[in-house]
Amino acid sequence: GTRMAGRGALIVFEGCDHSGKTTQCRRLVEWLQQEQIPVEPFRFPDRTTAIGQMINGYLSNKQDIEDHAVHLLFSANRWELVPKMRTLLESGTTLIVDRYAYSGVSFTAAKEGFTIDWCKNPDRGLPRPDLVLYLNLTPEAAAMRGTFGKERYEQTDMQLRVAKNFQLLKESYWQVSDVAHGPLVNQSWHKTYQGCDQGCSG
Ligand code: NYM
């Protein structure tokens, strides 16, 4: 779409479990606040909504939901936040998002009987990120960072399939950071950020 001066940037962090997304999101939000850039954190799934609570029940193994149905719930959980996201972006607020549709596709497509194409469909039309920061950590290294919890999907074989799917989804505007080799939010990244500060293609 048209790029309008003054819009916020939509910046997404992706990666496997334990890759450090949440920490990096927090650090970036704090840095932008220090720079007096209007910023709002988001995370998906957003477990605070009614749909998010169903997803939470599913992830914590309190509830079983059919695989296609839960995929659509994850997507619906993004769509229900879109009006708020668009309003903020248009008012000049930068959004730092912990997981987005790429997680949705990569996790479901790691299950038996799902194609990437089918998984992409419900998220088509979501606001397009200006930048996706992919935290590159092998599932083996991620497992060494701490024990996987009891949540669904937290097994090394699942994480390996998820990591492969992320590689298949990689687009030209993704920035890949090798987590093992130092901090993500560094000088070169700041340059990238300033490059997409002008707007958000939606
Ligand atoms: N997850 C996350 C999905 O399976 N589909 C999605 O659309 C999203 C956003 O939920 N293992 C999975 C990935 C994680 C789990 O994420 C919960 P987090 O960041 O640990 O709350």
Side-chain angles (χ1 to χ4, degrees), residues 17 43-45 47 59 74 78 99-100 103-104 107 151 153:
D17 295 329
R43 76 171 307 154
F44 293 109
R47 304 187 195 213
L59 288 171
F74 275 111
R78 283 182 280 280
R99 296 190 191 277
Y100 201 47
S103 277
F107 277 81
E151 281 211 332
Y153 304 151

Side-chain angles (χ1 to χ4, degrees), residues 134-154:
Y134 180 72
L135 303 195
N136 203 22
L137 188 68
T138 63
E140 294 89 343
M144 280 163 56
R145 288 191 156 196
T147 48
F148 276 127
K150 287 193 215 82
E151 281 211 332
R152 222 180 276 257
Y153 304 151
E154 298 194 350

Side-chain angles (χ1 to χ4, degrees), residues 142-176:
M144 280 163 56
R145 288 191 156 196
T147 48
F148 276 127
K150 287 193 215 82
E151 281 211 332
R152 222 180 276 257
Y153 304 151
E154 298 194 350
Q155 306 94 28
T156 305
D157 55 336
M158 175 73 177
Q159 298 286 326
L160 273 167
R161 293 196 299 275
V162 170
K164 274 190 197 138
N165 289 335
F166 274 127
Q167 296 311 310
L168 293 172
L169 294 177
K170 215 187 284 173
E171 296 180 51
S172 57
Y173 54 87
W174 284 39
Q175 294 268 314
V176 177

Side-chain angles (χ1 to χ4, degrees), residues 6-11 84-95 127 130 200:
R7 283 189 79 173
L10 177 54
I11 298 176
K84 185 182 175 193
M85 292 171 74
R86 283 202 194 282
T87 303
L88 285 165
L89 286 167
E90 278 157 23
S91 76
T93 302
T94 285
L95 309 185
D130 296 283
C200 157

Side-chain angles (χ1 to χ4, degrees), residues 45-58 73 77 80:
D46 179 337
R47 304 187 195 213
T48 65
T49 70
I51 294 169
Q53 280 165 36
M54 294 174 72
I55 292 170
N56 185 52
Y58 172 80
L73 287 179
N77 183 233
E80 67 179 335

